[in-house]
Amino acid sequence: MTPVLQAQNIVKRYGSVEALRGASFEVGRGEVVALIGDNGAGKSTLVKCLSGAEIPTSGTILLEGEPVTLDSPVAARRLGIETVYQDLAVAPHLDPAANLFLGREIFRKGLLGKLGVLDKAEMRRRATEEFARFGVTLQNVDVPIGSLSGGQRQSVAVARSVAWASKVVFMDEPTAALGVVQREKVLDVIRRVRDEGMAVVLISHNMPEVLSVSDRVEVLRLGKRVARFNAADASLEDLVGAMTGALVQEDAA
Amino acid sequence: MTTDAVPTTEQRSLRTRLLSANTFWIALVLLALVVVFGALAPDTFLTFLNFQNLFVETSVLLVVAVGMTFVIITGGIDLSVGSVLIFASMISAKTMQWISPGQQISQADWGVIAVGLAVALAGGAVWGLINGLLVARANIPPLIVTLGTLGAALGAASLLNDGTDIRPAPSALSDILGFGTLEGNIPNMVVVAAVITVLFGLVLHTTRFGRYTYAIGSNAEATRRAGIGAARHLTNVYLLSGVLAGAAGFMSMAYFQGTTISGNVTLNLSAIAGVVLGGTSLFGGVGTIVGTVIGVFIPAVLQKGFNIINVQQYWQQIAVGAVLVAAVWFDQQRRRRSKN
């Protein structure tokens, strides 16, 4: 089976600093792959390269087997690749529906639509559907997001990205700022996204979380992939060992 | 596992939404003021003439405040509106004077007046565009940018006619726009201001332009990440404020029968006060045009009321200042609460 998204030998230099030294990575349909590594291992840089925020110095990115150039987040988005950012990338004063459709507004039909008038009812209706699809529960669709709990806010942010993604969703520490119950809710959303056949890439520092939600784990160290695990077979010690360099798989790079 | 009692999403009732909107409470304050002054001086305050004057005198400020509402919702500020208004009326009057028969501006016909209107709007647009580009592209804080253009526009306006006013305005313009009325004695100034207010109220609350205005004020970074041309939109918002100041300059010229180089300088502060009193947050992301209308009328009603009950009108300035600070304080408290 061809992976949905595959990165081969990605190198990224910032001046004389080599953030990625030939990193490889792959993720397939309907799986959650956790990308882990110590601080400075190159996780964020790799995700930026794969989501269009940075352009790699060299290396190949294949989307469904075809080489692609991701020179901007908009280009990546057009190919069905979305990113959920670590800091809540939502507008807290807008309601959930407005956030879901931010930048992709639906207009009224006819002359009013040509004048830029929004179809708020339709957006609200479709937002309700999307939230239901990912199991996000909100009491109200017309309150500002800022008045929701942190977990609900992050669930909306996740739903917002995955609603538009058709192939790959990157999630950079989506649960970093959340409490236990709220974290569990967001993880539920992630599982549902996977069950819809999307490829999910999860970046996280929380190893128990990584083992509970992901299907596979890929480990970066010093800008290279050093190990790959099936989450079901891996233990916490394996992951930590690979991250710190105590455990090296010869065939991983 | 879920702690939410209701799994479905629904809209809140009209009543809850009304009570949670600060526009509602500000409207009550305005109503209370009208009731108090009406009770103290029923024969003079509650007259058609009094309200007619009140509306006419507020219409120029209202047009400026509508543009200011957009700017403040983006989290910005436009201090230059008063000077831009003066510049627009000055360059418009100068142009009309120049192309009028015999350079007699009072004799200007409607063709000349139409050119004058276009020049006033363009004059406002130029300053708005300068503000917008400096704020959105050069990333200079709006307070500094518009403080700079406040001085520059006033200086440019003074240079146009060696620091003196151009008087009168074309008599056709003063007669129709300045003092003319529709049937039922509704002043044309008020009609123009009302049309502009309703139009841009609809733009703010129903269109994508309005939604992006809120989005930038709420979280500019998220707006950019959503693939929206945030810098372009922000430039357009300042441009809009400039154009509306230009329109207000044209109205002011019609009403005062000439330019007002020494007046209107503190109009920026009156507009900001009105917008903020109306519940628009200086921190961005929140605000309504209805609120601005109410907020602009609170100082106006206070002033008229104090005049009528023979309280020195200077008390109005003190009262508005106090209410303004209180309004911002409440806004901050609310924000702090919603963060926790």
Side-chain angles (χ1 to χ4, degrees), chain B residues 251-280:
Chain B
M251 291 167 70
S252 158
M253 177 170 53
Y255 181 68
F256 292 108
Q257 301 173 62
T259 60
T260 53
I261 219 161
S262 53
N264 283 329
V265 179
T266 58
L267 189 83
N268 52 2
L269 300 182
S270 310
I272 293 167
V275 171
V276 172
L277 279 179
T280 297

CSV table of all heavy atoms in Angstrom, one decimal, chain B residues 251-280:
chain,number,residue,atom,x,y,z
B,251,MET,N,-20.3,66.8,4.3
B,251,MET,CA,-21.6,67.2,5.1
B,251,MET,C,-21.4,68.4,5.9
B,251,MET,O,-22.2,69.3,6.0
B,251,MET,CB,-22.0,66.0,5.9
B,251,MET,CG,-22.5,64.8,5.1
B,251,MET,SD,-22.7,63.3,6.1
B,251,MET,CE,-24.1,63.7,7.2
B,252,SER,N,-20.2,68.4,6.6
B,252,SER,CA,-19.9,69.5,7.5
B,252,SER,C,-19.8,70.8,6.8
B,252,SER,O,-20.3,71.8,7.2
B,252,SER,CB,-18.6,69.2,8.3
B,252,SER,OG,-18.0,70.3,8.7
B,253,MET,N,-19.2,70.8,5.6
B,253,MET,CA,-19.1,72.0,4.8
B,253,MET,C,-20.5,72.5,4.4
B,253,MET,O,-20.7,73.7,4.4
B,253,MET,CB,-18.3,71.7,3.5
B,253,MET,CG,-18.1,72.8,2.6
B,253,MET,SD,-16.9,72.4,1.3
B,253,MET,CE,-17.5,70.9,0.7
B,254,ALA,N,-21.4,71.6,4.1
B,254,ALA,CA,-22.7,72.0,3.7
B,254,ALA,C,-23.5,72.6,4.9
B,254,ALA,O,-24.1,73.6,4.7
B,254,ALA,CB,-23.5,70.8,3.2
B,255,TYR,N,-23.3,72.0,6.0
B,255,TYR,CA,-24.0,72.5,7.2
B,255,TYR,C,-23.5,73.8,7.8
B,255,TYR,O,-24.2,74.7,8.1
B,255,TYR,CB,-24.0,71.4,8.3
B,255,TYR,CG,-24.7,71.7,9.5
B,255,TYR,CD1,-26.1,71.9,9.5
B,255,TYR,CD2,-24.1,71.9,10.7
B,255,TYR,CE1,-26.8,72.2,10.6
B,255,TYR,CE2,-24.8,72.3,11.9
B,255,TYR,CZ,-26.2,72.4,11.8
B,255,TYR,OH,-26.9,72.7,13.0
B,256,PHE,N,-22.1,73.9,7.9
B,256,PHE,CA,-21.5,75.1,8.4
B,256,PHE,C,-21.3,76.1,7.3
B,256,PHE,O,-20.7,77.2,7.6
B,256,PHE,CB,-20.2,74.8,9.1
B,256,PHE,CG,-20.4,74.0,10.4
B,256,PHE,CD1,-20.1,72.6,10.5
B,256,PHE,CD2,-21.0,74.6,11.5
B,256,PHE,CE1,-20.3,71.9,11.6
B,256,PHE,CE2,-21.2,73.8,12.7
B,256,PHE,CZ,-20.9,72.5,12.7
B,257,GLN,N,-21.7,75.9,6.1
B,257,GLN,CA,-21.5,76.8,5.0
B,257,GLN,C,-20.1,77.2,4.8
B,257,GLN,O,-19.7,78.4,4.6
B,257,GLN,CB,-22.4,78.1,5.1
B,257,GLN,CG,-23.8,77.7,5.3
B,257,GLN,CD,-24.6,79.0,5.6
B,257,GLN,OE1,-24.7,79.9,4.8
B,257,GLN,NE2,-25.3,78.9,6.7
B,258,GLY,N,-19.2,76.2,4.8
B,258,GLY,CA,-17.8,76.5,4.6
B,258,GLY,C,-16.9,75.5,5.4
B,258,GLY,O,-17.5,74.6,6.1
B,259,THR,N,-15.6,75.7,5.2
B,259,THR,CA,-14.7,74.8,5.9
B,259,THR,C,-14.6,75.2,7.4
B,259,THR,O,-15.0,76.3,7.7
B,259,THR,CB,-13.3,74.7,5.3
B,259,THR,OG1,-12.8,76.1,5.3
B,259,THR,CG2,-13.4,74.3,3.8
B,260,THR,N,-14.1,74.3,8.2
B,260,THR,CA,-14.0,74.5,9.7
B,260,THR,C,-12.6,74.1,10.1
B,260,THR,O,-12.4,73.2,10.8
B,260,THR,CB,-15.0,73.7,10.4
B,260,THR,OG1,-14.8,72.3,10.0
B,260,THR,CG2,-16.4,74.1,10.1
B,261,ILE,N,-11.6,75.0,9.8
B,261,ILE,CA,-10.3,74.5,10.0
B,261,ILE,C,-9.9,74.5,11.5
B,261,ILE,O,-9.1,73.7,11.9
B,261,ILE,CB,-9.3,75.5,9.2
B,261,ILE,CG1,-8.1,74.7,8.6
B,261,ILE,CG2,-8.8,76.6,10.1
B,261,ILE,CD1,-7.4,75.4,7.5
B,262,SER,N,-10.5,75.4,12.3
B,262,SER,CA,-10.2,75.3,13.7
B,262,SER,C,-11.2,74.5,14.5
B,262,SER,O,-11.0,74.2,15.7
B,262,SER,CB,-10.2,76.8,14.3
B,262,SER,OG,-11.4,77.4,13.9
B,263,GLY,N,-12.3,74.1,13.9
B,263,GLY,CA,-13.2,73.2,14.6
B,263,GLY,C,-12.9,71.8,14.2
B,263,GLY,O,-11.9,71.5,13.5
B,264,ASN,N,-13.7,70.9,14.8
B,264,ASN,CA,-13.6,69.4,14.4
B,264,ASN,C,-12.2,68.7,14.8
B,264,ASN,O,-12.1,67.6,14.4
B,264,ASN,CB,-13.8,69.3,12.9
B,264,ASN,CG,-15.3,69.4,12.6
B,264,ASN,OD1,-16.1,69.0,13.4
B,264,ASN,ND2,-15.6,69.9,11.4
B,265,VAL,N,-11.3,69.5,15.4
B,265,VAL,CA,-10.0,68.8,15.7
B,265,VAL,C,-10.2,67.7,16.8
B,265,VAL,O,-9.5,66.7,16.7
B,265,VAL,CB,-8.9,69.8,16.1
B,265,VAL,CG1,-7.6,69.1,16.5
B,265,VAL,CG2,-8.7,70.8,15.0
B,266,THR,N,-11.1,68.0,17.7
B,266,THR,CA,-11.3,67.0,18.8
B,266,THR,C,-12.4,66.0,18.4
B,266,THR,O,-12.9,65.2,19.2
B,266,THR,CB,-11.7,67.6,20.1
B,266,THR,OG1,-12.9,68.4,19.9
B,266,THR,CG2,-10.6,68.5,20.6
B,267,LEU,N,-12.8,66.0,17.1
B,267,LEU,CA,-13.9,65.1,16.6
B,267,LEU,C,-13.4,63.7,16.8
B,267,LEU,O,-14.2,62.8,17.1
B,267,LEU,CB,-14.2,65.4,15.2
B,267,LEU,CG,-15.4,64.7,14.6
B,267,LEU,CD1,-16.7,65.4,14.9
B,267,LEU,CD2,-15.3,64.5,13.1
B,268,ASN,N,-12.1,63.4,16.6
B,268,ASN,CA,-11.6,62.1,16.8
B,268,ASN,C,-11.9,61.5,18.1
B,268,ASN,O,-12.4,60.4,18.3
B,268,ASN,CB,-10.1,62.0,16.5
B,268,ASN,CG,-9.3,63.0,17.3
B,268,ASN,OD1,-9.9,63.8,18.1
B,268,ASN,ND2,-8.0,63.1,17.1
B,269,LEU,N,-11.7,62.4,19.2
B,269,LEU,CA,-12.0,61.9,20.5
B,269,LEU,C,-13.5,61.7,20.8
B,269,LEU,O,-13.8,60.7,21.4
B,269,LEU,CB,-11.4,62.9,21.6
B,269,LEU,CG,-9.9,63.1,21.4
B,269,LEU,CD1,-9.4,64.1,22.5
B,269,LEU,CD2,-9.1,61.8,21.5
B,270,SER,N,-14.3,62.6,20.2
B,270,SER,CA,-15.7,62.4,20.4
B,270,SER,C,-16.2,61.1,19.7
B,270,SER,O,-17.0,60.3,20.2
B,270,SER,CB,-16.5,63.5,19.7
B,270,SER,OG,-16.0,64.7,20.2
B,271,ALA,N,-15.6,60.8,18.5
B,271,ALA,CA,-15.9,59.6,17.8
B,271,ALA,C,-15.5,58.3,18.6
B,271,ALA,O,-16.3,57.4,18.8
B,271,ALA,CB,-15.3,59.6,16.4
B,272,ILE,N,-14.2,58.4,19.1
B,272,ILE,CA,-13.7,57.2,19.9
B,272,ILE,C,-14.6,57.0,21.1
B,272,ILE,O,-15.0,55.9,21.4
B,272,ILE,CB,-12.3,57.4,20.2
B,272,ILE,CG1,-11.4,57.4,19.0
B,272,ILE,CG2,-11.8,56.3,21.2
B,272,ILE,CD1,-10.0,57.9,19.2
B,273,ALA,N,-14.9,58.1,21.8
B,273,ALA,CA,-15.8,58.0,23.0
B,273,ALA,C,-17.1,57.4,22.7
B,273,ALA,O,-17.6,56.5,23.4
B,273,ALA,CB,-15.9,59.4,23.6
B,274,GLY,N,-17.7,57.9,21.6
B,274,GLY,CA,-19.0,57.3,21.2
B,274,GLY,C,-18.9,55.8,20.9
B,274,GLY,O,-19.8,55.0,21.4
B,275,VAL,N,-17.9,55.4,20.2
B,275,VAL,CA,-17.8,54.0,19.8
B,275,VAL,C,-17.6,53.2,21.0
B,275,VAL,O,-18.2,52.1,21.2
B,275,VAL,CB,-16.6,53.9,18.8
B,275,VAL,CG1,-16.3,52.4,18.6
B,275,VAL,CG2,-16.9,54.5,17.5
B,276,VAL,N,-16.7,53.6,21.9
B,276,VAL,CA,-16.4,52.8,23.1
B,276,VAL,C,-17.6,52.8,24.1
B,276,VAL,O,-17.9,51.8,24.6
B,276,VAL,CB,-15.1,53.4,23.8
B,276,VAL,CG1,-14.9,52.7,25.1
B,276,VAL,CG2,-13.9,53.2,22.9
B,277,LEU,N,-18.2,54.0,24.2
B,277,LEU,CA,-19.5,54.0,25.0
B,277,LEU,C,-20.5,53.0,24.5
B,277,LEU,O,-21.2,52.3,25.2
B,277,LEU,CB,-20.1,55.3,25.0
B,277,LEU,CG,-19.5,56.4,26.0
B,277,LEU,CD1,-20.3,57.7,25.8
B,277,LEU,CD2,-19.6,55.9,27.4
B,278,GLY,N,-20.5,52.8,23.2
B,278,GLY,CA,-21.4,51.9,22.5
B,278,GLY,C,-21.1,50.4,22.7
B,278,GLY,O,-21.7,49.6,22.1
B,279,GLY,N,-20.1,50.1,23.5
B,279,GLY,CA,-19.8,48.7,23.7
B,279,GLY,C,-18.7,48.1,22.8
B,279,GLY,O,-18.4,46.9,22.9
B,280,THR,N,-18.1,48.9,21.9
B,280,THR,CA,-17.1,48.3,21.1
B,280,THR,C,-15.8,48.3,22.0
B,280,THR,O,-15.5,49.2,22.6
B,280,THR,CB,-16.9,49.2,19.9
B,280,THR,OG1,-18.1,49.1,19.1
B,280,THR,CG2,-15.7,48.7,19.0
